[in-house]
């Protein structure tokens, strides 16, 4: 007579294995049997997205009267690590916008000022009387001031931070803008109230006071008392420890305003803050990739699912068939413990069972391979593409081989040019405005120079050289100056007047600046008239000035032009007849 077994229920005590008897009875040969299924199951409790960072407590927000962000900073920090494609996109955009270099350029017409000063200095006394001395003095003053401002801004760029470079500071700040929706730069002033240093404040640790005129910095979530900062340009004196403004008199931004005495060593520093606008959160901003948030969570969950599968050595579902004999509860528990403890993490686990007389045990694999595997891989690829798209980048830039037919699957150069025009350039313009407005102009008091961030080079060097050659080396009508050509070719400029002028290779007068061509033609015509009059030849006045420079004729006087060069001259040929030290 067959032994009766109690009905078993699936194990739901948060263990990954369940053993369930599914059938019992007597076979055709009159032998009793029981069939049981061993399955690996997930805990019934729902999982939540893990975050490595911890935000400040609700009590801290209330006690310090702080605004809570729409998205917790700890969650935004976690996505940078948990979603690798997102982290790569943020780093790439920060590097392309702010990390390629910074140069100082002039805001005035330096070329024209240099030409004017050189001409005036080189002119004879009689010639100087025909030139405007006032313009000369103004140009000379501008050039002198420009040199001093360029040196001052260059020194600030070199010494803006004691621990790292200015480029690194700004790149970190823009990385916060892309990942958190806001950037924060701490400004330190010198004794003369000018900007002396610049530092990066992590967005995840800076909170906004409800009044919107102060910021509270928490170096760690467990810190009870924050460090306070004020907005850039606020003339009031703020205590960095208490967040209290010194009592002031008069109206802000008026002549009657009196900020009172400062706090000394506890005087708060200023913060330059820029927020990615969103009506959902105007105090903290929301990053542009927010639309991919749900997909990022799905990508993280699919990653964790596969991680658990492989960390358990990819154990599939099994059915354990027990036939014949008398199988007791101890045998079932042994099988259950084997799948729960022994087999997990062990490729060579061994199960020893005592089989009753007439009994038989069979292990049958229900799923020979994980059927979800292709679906998971396809889903993760889709999540990756969504993240890249929300960042405004393309697969090739992020480092992904694009599939034929998807958006952004063109050549690398075409993709980079598109991203540069649509995403990177507008961001650089914003960053340049911030730096030039608040640091260069208001902080350093410089008006003739500005900073410009280096752009991504998407132009092929050979194509660039061919373009320069076509514009510069045309024998009779070049379109650019020598220094403009050298700039295209990334060469240092030549400090001479002729290098800043368009040079004309004239068949009569040889190589000369285009601005001097009309005067040379007039002088030639005058000389021809005097020569012909001295020989008793009557001449007619000539109204067209400069026509001889192109066709070799000058009114009624016939001049035999020099032979045109067979091909475009080289740079050395174009400059061979000029005084390089002039």
């Amino acid at each position: 007579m067959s032994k009766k077994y109690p009905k078993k229920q699936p194990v739901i005590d948060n263990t990954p294995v369940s053993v369930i008897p599914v059938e019992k009875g007597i076979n055709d040969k009159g032998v009793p049997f029981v069939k049981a299924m061993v399955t690996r199951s997930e805990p019934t409790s729902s999982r939540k997205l893990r975050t490595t960072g911890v935000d400040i407590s609700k009590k801290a927000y209330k006690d310090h009267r702080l605004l809570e962000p729409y998205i917790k900073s700890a969650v935004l920090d976690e996505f940078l690590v948990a979603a690798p494609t997102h982290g790569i996109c943020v780093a790439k955009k920060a590097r392309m916008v702010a990390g390629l270099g910074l140069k100082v350029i002039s805001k005035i017409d330096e070329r024209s000022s240099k030409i004017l000063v050189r001409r005036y200095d080189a002119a004879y006394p009689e010639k100087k009387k025909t030139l405007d001395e006032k313009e000369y003095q103004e140009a000379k003053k501008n050039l002198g001031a420009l040199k001093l401002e360029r040196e001052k801004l260059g020194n600030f760029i070199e010494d803006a931070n004691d621990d790292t470079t200015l480029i690194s500071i700004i790149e970190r700040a823009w990385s916060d803008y892309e990942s958190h929706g806001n950037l924060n730069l701490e400004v330190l002033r010198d004794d003369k109230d000018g900007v002396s240093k610049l530092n990066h404040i992590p967005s995840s640790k800076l909170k906004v006071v409800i009044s919107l005129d102060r910021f509270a910095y928490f170096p760690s979530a467990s810190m009870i008392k924050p460090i306070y900062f004020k907005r850039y340009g606020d003339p009031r004196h703020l205590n960095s420890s208490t967040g209290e403004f010194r009592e002031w008199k008069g109206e802000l931004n008026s002549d009657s305003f009196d900020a009172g005495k400062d706090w000394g060593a506890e005087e708060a520093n200023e913060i330059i803050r820029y927020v990615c606008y969103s009506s959902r959160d105007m105090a903290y901003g929301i990053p542009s990739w927010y639309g991919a948030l749900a997909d990022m969570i799905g990508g993280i969950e699919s990653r964790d699912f596969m991680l658990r599968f492989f960390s358990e050595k990819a154990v599939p579902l099994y059915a354990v068939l027990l036939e014949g004999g008398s199988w007791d509860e101890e045998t079932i528990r042994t099988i259950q413990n084997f799948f729960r403890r022994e087999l997990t993490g062990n490729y060579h686990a061994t199960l020893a069972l005592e089989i009753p007389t007439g009994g038989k045990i069979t292990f049958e694999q229900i799923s020979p391979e994980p059927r979800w595997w292709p679906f998971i891989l396809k889903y993760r690829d889709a999540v990756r593409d969504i993240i890249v798209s929300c960042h405004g980048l393309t697969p090739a830039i992020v480092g992904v081989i694009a599939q034929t037919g998807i958006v952004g699957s063109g050549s690398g150069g075409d993709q980079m040019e598109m991203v540069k025009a649509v995403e990177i350039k507008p961001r650089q313009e914003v960053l340049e405005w911030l730096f030039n407005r608040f640091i260069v102009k208001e902080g350093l008091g410089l008006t003739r120079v500005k900073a410009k961030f280096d752009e991504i080079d998407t132009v092929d060097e050979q194509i660039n050289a061919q373009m320069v050659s076509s514009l510069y080396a045309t024998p009779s009508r070049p379109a650019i100056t020598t220094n403009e050509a050298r700039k295209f070719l990334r060469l240092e400029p030549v400090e001479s007047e002729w290098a800043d002028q368009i040079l004309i290779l004239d068949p009569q007068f040889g190589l000369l600046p285009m601005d001097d061509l009309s005067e040379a033609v007039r002088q030639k015509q005058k000389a021809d008239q005097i020569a012909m009059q001295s020989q008793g030849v009557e001449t007619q006045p000539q109204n067209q000035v400069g026509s001889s420079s192109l066709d070799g004729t000058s009114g009624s006087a016939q001049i035999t032009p020099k032979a045109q060069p067979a091909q475009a001259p080289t740079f050395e040929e174009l400059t061979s007849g000029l005084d390089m030290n002039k």
Side-chain angles (χ1 to χ4, degrees):
M1 184 175 181
S2 63
K3 185 177 180 180
K4 294 182 179 181
Y5 296 95
K7 185 177 181 181
K8 300 286 291 184
Q9 299 295 329
V11 179
I12 56 173
D13 57 350
N14 291 334
T15 58
V17 178
S18 297
V19 178
I20 310 170
V22 294
E23 185 181 354
K24 61 181 179 180
I26 301 175
N27 59 17
D28 297 339
K29 298 179 180 180
V31 180
F33 71 90
V34 61
K35 295 182 179 180
M37 179 178 292
V38 180
T39 63
R40 309 186 63 79
S41 60
E42 289 298 317
T44 56
S45 59
S46 60
R47 297 181 64 255
K48 295 182 179 180
L49 180 67
R50 299 189 302 272
T51 55
T52 55
V54 179
D55 195 16
I56 60 175
S57 63
K58 290 278 188 181
K59 185 176 183 301
Y61 278 107
K62 183 178 180 180
D63 292 345
H64 299 290
R65 296 182 58 80
L66 307 176
L67 289 172
E68 291 193 49
Y70 182 78
I71 310 175
K72 295 298 183 183
S73 300
V75 175
L76 296 175
D77 281 338
E78 174 65 17
F79 278 120
L80 287 172
V81 179
T85 302
H86 167 58
I88 292 173
C89 289
V90 168
K92 292 261 187 180
K93 291 171 76 174
R95 176 58 54 87
M96 289 188 290
V97 171
L100 299 180
L102 184 69
K103 58 176 173 287
V104 179
I105 62 176
S106 172
K107 295 173 66 175
I108 66 174
D109 190 353
E110 186 177 6
R111 172 178 172 268
S112 298
S113 297
K114 284 183 176 181
I115 293 176
L116 195 154
V117 170
R118 288 169 184 159
R119 285 189 172 181
Y120 192 91
D121 291 340
Y124 294 104
E126 294 78 8
K127 181 67 175 177
K128 285 185 179 180
K129 295 179 181 180
T130 64
L131 300 176
D132 191 334
E133 184 178 359
K134 186 177 180 180
E135 289 185 359
Y136 163 74
Q137 295 294 344
E138 183 68 22
K140 193 171 183 179
K141 177 183 176 181
N142 284 335
L143 290 176
L146 177 63
K147 182 179 179 182
L148 294 177
E149 289 194 4
R150 184 179 276 121
E151 290 177 355
K152 185 174 181 179
L153 181 54
N155 292 335
F156 174 79
I157 293 175
E158 186 72 23
D159 302 324
N161 191 277
D162 295 331
D163 299 323
T164 185
T165 64
L166 176 64
I167 289 296
S168 178
I169 292 295
I170 299 179
E171 185 179 347
R172 294 176 189 177
W174 198 261
S175 177
D176 280 350
Y177 178 82
E178 296 293 345
S179 59
H180 289 72
N182 61 80
L183 66 83
N184 304 276
L185 293 170
E186 178 188 12
V187 178
L188 285 72
R189 295 187 180 271
D190 54 23
D191 297 336
K192 297 180 180 180
D193 205 30
V195 174
S196 61
K197 299 290 180 182
L198 207 62
N199 191 33
H200 163 242
I201 300 295
S203 295
S204 60
K205 301 181 182 299
L206 197 70
K207 309 302 177 184
V208 182
V209 179
I210 292 179
S211 60
L212 301 179
D213 56 359
R214 286 160 290 174
F215 307 99
Y217 174 64
F218 293 84
S220 64
S222 60
M223 189 171 183
I224 300 176
K225 295 184 63 177
I227 302 172
Y228 287 93
F229 294 87
K230 63 179 181 179
R231 287 189 173 275
Y232 180 83
D234 193 331
R236 297 174 293 177
H237 297 299
L238 178 69
N239 190 300
S240 61
S241 299
T242 64
E244 175 188 0
F245 279 112
R246 179 77 75 183
E247 185 176 354
W248 70 89
K249 299 179 181 179
E251 295 292 331
L252 290 174
N253 302 321
S254 67
D255 296 336
S256 61
F257 177 77
D258 182 8
K261 186 179 179 181
D262 63 37
W263 295 97
E266 292 188 336
E267 181 75 13
N269 289 329
E270 302 166 61
I271 291 287
I272 296 176
R273 182 177 176 86
Y274 187 74
V275 175
C276 183
Y277 170 78
S278 173
S279 59
R280 291 174 178 261
D281 194 340
M282 292 186 287
Y284 292 91
I286 293 182
S288 59
W289 54 267
Y290 177 72
L293 183 65
D295 297 281
M296 288 187 189
I297 295 175
I300 295 171
E301 292 292 342
S302 64
R303 176 206 64 184
D304 291 346
F305 179 84
M306 289 193 296
L307 181 63
R308 290 191 302 271
F309 177 78
F310 285 106
S311 65
E312 295 173 359
K313 299 300 181 287
V315 177
L317 298 178
Y318 274 94
V320 181
L321 305 180
L322 308 177
E323 301 183 48
S326 299
W327 298 89
D328 54 17
E329 293 291 336
E330 183 63 27
T331 301
I332 294 179
R333 283 195 296 270
T334 300
I335 297 174
Q336 183 180 30
N337 291 334
F338 172 75
F339 279 90
R340 178 184 298 142
R341 300 186 180 93
E342 302 296 331
L343 189 59
T344 300
N346 188 355
Y347 282 117
H348 305 289
T350 303
L351 174 63
L353 292 175
E354 183 177 348
I355 301 176
T357 303
K360 180 182 179 183
I361 184 170
T362 305
F363 293 89
E364 292 186 2
Q365 184 174 332
I366 297 176
S367 57
E369 61 181 10
R371 298 178 180 177
W372 44 262
W373 180 255
F375 168 76
I376 290 291
L377 291 181
K378 188 174 182 179
Y379 174 69
R380 288 176 62 81
D381 287 344
V383 169
R384 179 200 63 204
D385 293 340
I386 291 173
I387 294 173
V388 172
S389 177
C390 284
H391 272 286
L393 301 179
T394 58
I397 295 176
V398 180
V400 178
I401 300 177
Q403 298 177 359
T404 304
I406 71 170
V407 176
S409 60
S411 65
D414 294 339
Q415 292 187 30
M416 184 62 74
E417 188 66 37
M418 179 181 65
V419 170
K420 176 183 176 181
V422 177
E423 297 291 336
I424 305 304
K425 184 61 178 177
R427 284 169 164 80
Q428 284 188 320
E429 291 175 351
V430 169
L431 192 55
E432 288 169 0
W433 175 82
L434 285 172
F435 189 81
N436 289 316
R437 167 73 183 275
F438 298 116
I439 301 299
V440 178
K441 184 177 179 180
E442 296 184 8
L444 301 175
L446 307 179
T447 59
R448 293 177 175 85
V449 294
K450 64 180 180 179
K452 183 173 180 60
F453 289 92
D454 291 341
E455 301 178 5
I456 308 169
D457 189 2
T458 59
V459 180
D460 185 84
E461 292 292 338
Q462 185 177 1
I463 297 177
N464 196 16
Q466 292 175 354
M467 179 185 67
V468 172
S469 177
S470 65
L471 293 174
Y472 176 72
T474 303
S476 59
R477 299 183 182 182
I480 58 176
T481 67
T482 299
N483 276 341
E484 288 172 339
R486 292 176 67 85
K487 182 180 179 180
F488 274 116
L489 300 175
R490 300 179 182 178
L491 300 174
E492 292 296 323
V494 176
E495 290 295 333
S496 292
E497 180 181 350
W498 62 264
D500 290 318
Q501 296 179 330
I502 294 179
L503 303 177
I504 294 292
L505 184 61
D506 189 82
Q508 296 184 66
F509 307 108
L511 187 66
L512 78 165
M514 185 174 63
D515 295 342
D516 297 340
L517 181 59
S518 296
E519 181 64 23
V521 172
R522 281 193 292 266
Q523 293 295 333
K524 177 64 174 174
Q525 290 175 348
K526 184 177 180 181
D528 290 344
Q529 291 175 7
I530 294 174
M532 295 175 70
Q533 288 175 359
S534 65
Q535 297 176 7
V537 179
E538 184 177 351
T539 61
Q540 296 179 353
Q542 296 148 17
N543 297 324
Q544 294 183 352
V545 178
S547 61
S548 65
S549 64
L550 300 180
D551 57 10
T553 63
S554 177
S556 60
Q558 298 297 323
I559 302 172
T560 303
K562 298 178 182 179
Q564 289 281 359
Q567 59 182 5
T570 63
F571 177 79
E572 291 77 9
E573 291 172 342
L574 278 173
T575 58
S576 60
L578 298 173
D579 184 2
M580 300 291 287
N581 298 318
K582 182 178 178 181

